[in-house]
Amino acid sequence: MHSWCTAWNEAKAASPLAHSQKETPQRWQAFFEAISDCDHAMWGDQGGLGPRIADLLFSEGIAYPSCRVLDAGSGPGTVSIPLAERGARITALDYSEGMLRALSQRAESQGVKGIESLCTPFFDFKPDEAFDLVLGCFFPAALSPEGLKHMESLSSGHCALVLSSFREQIPFCRALWREIMGYEPPSGDFHLIYAFGFLFAGKKAPNIKHLSWAYTFMSPLEETQAFFSRYFEIFDRKGPSVQSDIARVLKGFVKDGLVTCAADVKIALLWWRAYQH
C-alpha cells in the first residue's frame, strides 16, 4: 500500500500537468472560470461522452433511479445532466462558479431537474449524509491516495472514476502542445494504473471497463484559438508569438471555418465499493 502511494505521488511530481495543478491551482481556477461558457460545447459532448458514461453506470448497477450521486468536479454538467435524466438525484460539486452556472443554464434549457449545485472545494466538503455513489470524471483532485480516501469517506455505496485510458487523443491538440511547449504531450494514463494498484493493494476489488468510439471534433476557429490561448497561459506561454503559433497550427485543421479533426475517445471507468459506515 505504501509503495503504491509513493510511486503514484512520484509519477504526479514528474507530470507537467499534475505539477502545475498542485503548484499553480489559481491559474487553473482562472482558466475554468474563463472557459466555463464554452467548455461543454467544445469538449463535453465528444460523441456522447456524458450519456455513454451514465448508461454504463446504470448498466453496472452503480447508479440507479433515485440514488444519491455526488458528481465531484462536475464542470458544466457533462455527466450530471444525463444521470439526472435517468432518475438519479445529483449533487454537483465544483469550485468554479462559472462551471456551475453553465450547468444550471444547460439543465434548465433541457428541462432537467434533480440537480443541486454546490461551489465548494472537494476536500472541504463534509456532508451530513453519505452518498450512494461518489463520482469523479477527469477530476484531478480525486487522483491521489488522499483523493480516493476522501471519496470513500463521502460514500455509503460505491466510488467511481472516469479517466483517460490513452495518451492525448486529438491530433491538433498534440500538434499544439508540441509547438507551444516544445515536447511531446504528457500522458495522464498513469493515474489509471496507480489508482487500480492502490485500490487492489487495499483489498478493494476494483472493477474496470473500457469504452472507445470515434467522433469528429468541430469548433469555430476563433473560439478554439481563444480557448487554447487561455490554456497555455497556465504554463506561462503567452504573448503575440504564442498567439501566432496557435493560429498557424489550428489553420492546418480548418474546414469551412471550423477546426475539424477526426479523433478517438478512449476512457476507462474504475469503480469499487467504499468502506461501510
Side-chain angles (χ1 to χ4, degrees), residues 128-194:
D128 294 331
E129 184 179 355
F131 293 85
D132 300 309
L133 170 64
V134 176
L135 175 67
C137 295
F138 312 110
F139 181 42
L143 302 180
S144 67
E146 297 76 21
L148 300 192
K149 290 175 183 177
H150 190 54
M151 289 180 70
E152 290 177 345
S153 75
L154 302 172
S155 176
S156 60
H158 287 91
C159 297
L161 293 173
V162 178
L163 308 100
S164 172
S165 60
F166 201 69
R167 191 177 290 271
E168 181 60 71
Q169 299 155 6
I170 303 178
F172 81 82
C173 293
R174 294 198 298 267
L176 279 172
W177 186 278
R178 285 194 297 263
E179 182 67 30
I180 305 303
M181 301 299 291
Y183 56 93
E184 287 296 313
S187 172
D189 54 7
F190 67 89
H191 285 299
L192 177 59
I193 298 169
Y194 288 112

Side-chain angles (χ1 to χ4, degrees), residues 89-109:
R89 294 178 294 160
I90 310 300
T91 297
L93 184 74
D94 205 291
Y95 72 170
S96 167
E97 293 181 354
M99 286 292 186
L100 293 176
R101 183 172 58 250
L103 184 158
S104 296
Q105 291 170 349
R106 291 185 57 242
E108 183 177 359
S109 69

Side-chain angles (χ1 to χ4, degrees), residues 22-37:
K22 178 181 179 181
E23 297 300 322
T24 56
Q26 71 282 359
R27 294 185 185 179
W28 283 93
Q29 183 163 7
F31 168 71
F32 289 130
E33 291 291 345
I35 58 91
S36 58
D37 290 338

Side-chain angles (χ1 to χ4, degrees), residues 4 174 217 260:
W4 279 107
R174 294 198 298 267
F217 175 94
T260 304

Side-chain angles (χ1 to χ4, degrees), residues 69-265:
V69 179
L70 175 66
D71 185 3
S74 64
T78 298
V79 181
S80 287
I81 291 175
L83 284 172
E85 287 177 325
R86 288 155 177 77
R89 294 178 294 160
I90 310 300
T91 297
L93 184 74
D94 205 291
Y95 72 170
S96 167
E97 293 181 354
M99 286 292 186
L100 293 176
R101 183 172 58 250
L103 184 158
S104 296
Q105 291 170 349
R106 291 185 57 242
E108 183 177 359
S109 69
Q110 296 177 38
V112 177
K113 301 185 182 301
I115 302 177
E116 177 188 9
S117 297
L118 291 175
C119 189
T120 304
F122 176 59
F123 286 104
D124 292 344
F125 182 56
K126 295 178 174 58
D128 294 331
E129 184 179 355
F131 293 85
D132 300 309
L133 170 64
V134 176
L135 175 67
C137 295
F138 312 110
F139 181 42
L143 302 180
S144 67
E146 297 76 21
L148 300 192
K149 290 175 183 177
H150 190 54
M151 289 180 70
E152 290 177 345
S153 75
L154 302 172
S155 176
S156 60
H158 287 91
C159 297
L161 293 173
V162 178
L163 308 100
S164 172
S165 60
F166 201 69
R167 191 177 290 271
E168 181 60 71
Q169 299 155 6
I170 303 178
F172 81 82
C173 293
R174 294 198 298 267
L176 279 172
W177 186 278
R178 285 194 297 263
E179 182 67 30
I180 305 303
M181 301 299 291
Y183 56 93
E184 287 296 313
S187 172
D189 54 7
F190 67 89
H191 285 299
L192 177 59
I193 298 169
Y194 288 112
F196 182 90
F198 175 80
L199 292 166
F200 188 80
K203 301 181 179 179
K204 297 297 178 62
N207 305 273
I208 292 181
K209 279 211 169 179
H210 293 268
L211 290 178
S212 64
W213 64 92
Y215 89 110
T216 300
F217 175 94
M218 299 179 72
S219 176
L221 175 60
E222 290 187 4
E223 290 183 14
T224 310
Q225 186 171 339
F227 180 96
F228 281 99
S229 294
R230 294 188 182 101
Y231 177 74
F232 284 111
E233 286 178 0
I234 296 171
F235 307 96
D236 276 331
R237 304 299 201 273
K238 52 189 175 182
S241 63
V242 172
Q243 296 277 351
S244 177
D245 289 341
I246 292 173
R248 177 169 47 78
V249 171
L250 289 178
K251 284 179 180 178
F253 294 88
V254 172
K255 182 179 180 181
D256 299 327
L258 299 174
V259 177
T260 304
C261 188
D264 293 314
V265 179

